Amino acid sequence: MTNQCLPGRRDVVLVAHEPPNSEHLGIRLVAAGLAEAGFRPRVLPLATPSSLAAVVSETLAAQPFLVGVSISDPLVAPLLLAFVRLLRQRGFAGHITAGGALATLERGNLLAAHPAIDSVVRHAGEASIVEL
């Protein structure tokens, strides 16, 4: 089964770098905006490269129509971009959007260099991601 945006699909997975014992505030605000609009967001923390395969598997198991990835700074960007590439390689066909400070500033370069990403949500994404 491919993960396409079908009428009635409400599941969204949000992925952000979250070291142990911390939470990514931006992704939590986006999740709250989605929940308020009637979607079912699920936040999956990606802490280390060793957790990459498990987070991809968990994302695929959730069968979301939309995956949001917070690319907030250059230190975590390689890990999150590896997640996006592996997710596509493993067959995810739904929409992938990136957000966060670095994604906002480097949107043109990000979209040109990483064709697995379908769109970039600029600035605060709580309203924009609901429209996606």
Side-chain angles (χ1 to χ4, degrees):
M1 176 178 164
T2 61
N3 295 325
Q4 297 175 355
C5 186
L6 303 172
R9 293 294 304 269
R10 308 303 282 172
D11 296 302
V12 178
V13 169
L14 302 171
V15 177
H17 178 258
E18 287 188 336
N21 302 316
S22 68
E23 289 187 346
H24 187 289
L25 177 60
I27 209 81
R28 304 287 171 183
L29 291 171
V30 169
L34 285 163
E36 187 174 308
F39 292 91
R40 291 186 300 262
R42 182 172 180 191
V43 175
L44 298 179
L46 183 56
T48 64
S50 64
S51 63
L52 182 61
V55 174
V56 168
S57 293
E58 205 170 341
T59 300
L60 292 170
Q63 298 185 337
F65 74 93
L66 173 65
V67 172
V69 181
S70 176
I71 304 176
S72 54
D73 68 67
L75 296 176
V76 299
L79 178 60
L80 292 157
L81 292 169
F83 164 79
V84 169
R85 283 190 305 274
L86 185 56
L87 188 63
R88 287 288 190 216
Q89 289 170 2
R90 299 249 330 256
F92 182 74
H95 191 92
I96 297 176
T97 191
L102 184 63
T104 294
L105 294 172
E106 293 293 329
R107 63 192 170 277
N109 294 331
L110 188 64
L111 290 168
H114 301 280
I117 298 173
D118 298 305
S119 65
V120 172
V121 172
R122 295 172 49 204
H123 309 291
E126 296 87 340
S128 299
I129 199 163
V130 169
E131 291 182 29
L132 279 175

